[in-house]
Amino acid sequence: MYERKILPNLNCGLDLIAEVLYGKWKIRLLWFINEGHRRPSELQRKIPDASRRVLNMQLNELEQHELVSKIIHPVVPPKVEYYLTDFGKTLIPIISALGHWGDENEDRLRNLILRSHEKTSLNDKE
């Protein structure tokens, strides 16, 4: 397992939130768990571009940061479900506000992102 050699900078709220939410799928995982998709297989279907391994790693990190909790039901095969903790639920209005901002600026953001990718592709060809 990966072990950090340099401790993260945790001097302000932005550093702290970046450390907790750093990961391509974490915000989406929190959102989908809040929407009622609690089983790992359901989350995998909602985020098909992510590998099961990466989703499991990010779910474990969210659990370590006390944003989600995991219940393992004693059945065969084991049934696992994730739930937002009360602490994790405090992020939902913030995630919702970010999503609303993205929706309001969708065209502009899409054009900027596509333009950035085009420049990167041109530089790679040179």
Side-chain angles (χ1 to χ4, degrees), residues 11-24:
N11 295 326
C12 74
L14 289 174
D15 292 335
L16 293 165
I17 193 72
E19 184 63 28
V20 171
L21 292 181
Y22 178 76
K24 187 172 184 176

Side-chain angles (χ1 to χ4, degrees), residues 33 38 40 43 59-60 63 68-70 80-84:
I33 291 169
R38 295 183 167 88
L43 295 167
L59 284 164
N60 286 335
E63 191 175 13
V68 301
S69 61
K70 174 171 61 176
V80 176
E81 292 183 317
Y82 289 92
Y83 294 89
L84 290 181

Side-chain angles (χ1 to χ4, degrees), residues 8 10 12 23 27-28 38 40 47-49 52 64 77-78 81 89 101 104 109 111-112 115 120 122:
L10 304 175
C12 74
I27 290 174
R28 294 181 82 188
R38 295 183 167 88
I47 310 174
D49 293 342
R52 176 62 72 93
Q64 289 169 0
E81 292 183 317
K89 289 176 185 175
W101 181 83
E104 285 182 345
L109 292 168
N111 288 334
L112 291 169
R115 190 177 330 145
T120 303
L122 288 174

Side-chain angles (χ1 to χ4, degrees), residues 36-60:
H37 304 282
R38 295 183 167 88
R39 307 269 325 270
S41 59
E42 293 174 319
L43 295 167
Q44 179 73 56
R45 281 193 293 277
K46 294 298 286 181
I47 310 174
D49 293 342
S51 72
R52 176 62 72 93
R53 179 180 174 274
V54 169
L55 288 181
N56 284 336
M57 288 173 49
Q58 292 194 359
L59 284 164
N60 286 335

